[in-house]
Amino acid sequence: MSDATPSSPASPGRPVLDVWCELQCPDCHRALDDLHALRARYGDRLEIRLRHFPLEKHRHAYEAAQAAEEAAGQGQGWSYVEAVLARTEELGAKGRPVLLEAAGALGLDAEELDTALVDGRHLLIVDADQAEGKAIGVTGTPTYVIGGERLDGGKSQEGLRERIEEIADRLLAEGGQG
């Protein structure tokens, strides 16, 4: 999810960091600190896009990804993602009610979000992200892709932010995207 919507195309002239994530994943919740630090360091010079990769072991992750797309459509994609990631354990236990509560707490139209989950309007976006992730070798979350390099954060976040910064700095110095 970029600053606007999860599946928005890359903006020309700035590097893109794709973050393959799922909203029931505790490791993705822990990765938020790194994403905040990257946003603070780079601002608009680095585009950070959330890419959906719901894992089968988390039964509410697929629905959470669809809810995130609806929240993005309502203008609060990242806020919603962060709110749901803060409740990964609760999401695992309660499912959809947590998704709707998070939407309501942010002032989103929770009824419309529920309708979107029922009618499946965001299924294709989630499926496309997941298929692309599988095609490039994503097996767990979070996984980062920047400058054509895939960095697996599912086992450890240690050193990943520094590596992302190295690549982003190089891409920015080259004046292009990756």
Side-chain angles (χ1 to χ4, degrees), residues 84-122:
V84 173
L85 281 172
R87 301 170 70 177
T88 56
E89 193 172 313
E90 190 180 358
L91 176 60
K94 297 181 182 175
R96 186 178 294 190
V98 173
L99 301 174
L100 300 176
E101 289 168 16
L106 292 170
L108 297 172
D109 185 339
E111 190 174 310
E112 187 61 27
L113 189 135
D114 191 42
T115 300
L117 294 175
V118 171
D119 70 22
R121 68 183 76 157
H122 302 295

Side-chain angles (χ1 to χ4, degrees), residues 75-177:
Q76 296 228 27
W78 275 108
S79 298
Y80 184 78
V81 164
E82 291 190 23
V84 173
L85 281 172
R87 301 170 70 177
T88 56
E89 193 172 313
E90 190 180 358
L91 176 60
K94 297 181 182 175
R96 186 178 294 190
V98 173
L99 301 174
L100 300 176
E101 289 168 16
L106 292 170
L108 297 172
D109 185 339
E111 190 174 310
E112 187 61 27
L113 189 135
D114 191 42
T115 300
L117 294 175
V118 171
D119 70 22
R121 68 183 76 157
H122 302 295
L123 288 171
L124 292 177
I125 292 170
V126 175
D127 288 347
D129 273 3
Q130 192 168 41
E132 184 179 337
K134 286 179 181 176
I136 63 169
V138 174
T139 58
T141 58
T143 295
Y144 308 92
V145 176
I146 183 170
E149 189 169 335
R150 189 180 74 237
L151 307 166
D152 181 5
K155 293 180 178 54
S156 171
Q157 294 290 306
E158 190 66 37
L160 286 183
R161 185 172 82 209
E162 293 79 10
R163 183 67 186 125
I164 291 167
E165 289 172 348
E166 289 171 15
I167 296 168
D169 290 344
R170 184 190 79 229
L171 293 171
L172 287 165
E174 293 170 359
Q177 54 182 99

Side-chain angles (χ1 to χ4, degrees), residues 28 33 56 65 102 116 120 152:
C28 291
D33 288 342
E56 287 183 24
D152 181 5

Side-chain angles (χ1 to χ4, degrees), residues 10-11 14-18 46-49 145-147 171 177-178:
S11 299
R14 68 178 176 164
V16 175
L17 172 64
D18 280 331
L46 175 66
E47 183 172 354
I48 300 174
R49 295 189 303 190
V145 176
I146 183 170
L171 293 171
Q177 54 182 99

Side-chain angles (χ1 to χ4, degrees), residues 20-86:
W20 300 89
C21 177
E22 76 118 86
L23 301 186
Q24 200 178 329
C25 171
D27 291 330
C28 291
H29 179 235
R30 286 187 286 279
L32 284 176
D33 288 342
D34 285 338
L35 295 179
H36 291 151
L38 290 167
R39 276 203 191 103
R41 176 173 176 166
Y42 295 103
D44 289 341
R45 296 179 306 136
L46 175 66
E47 183 172 354
I48 300 174
R49 295 189 303 190
L50 179 123
R51 304 299 301 272
H52 302 291
F53 201 79
L55 301 170
E56 287 183 24
K57 67 181 179 179
H58 293 139
R59 66 185 183 131
H60 302 294
Y62 192 79
E63 193 168 61
Q66 295 172 67
E69 285 295 323
E70 179 60 29
Q74 292 186 33
Q76 296 228 27
W78 275 108
S79 298
Y80 184 78
V81 164
E82 291 190 23
V84 173
L85 281 172

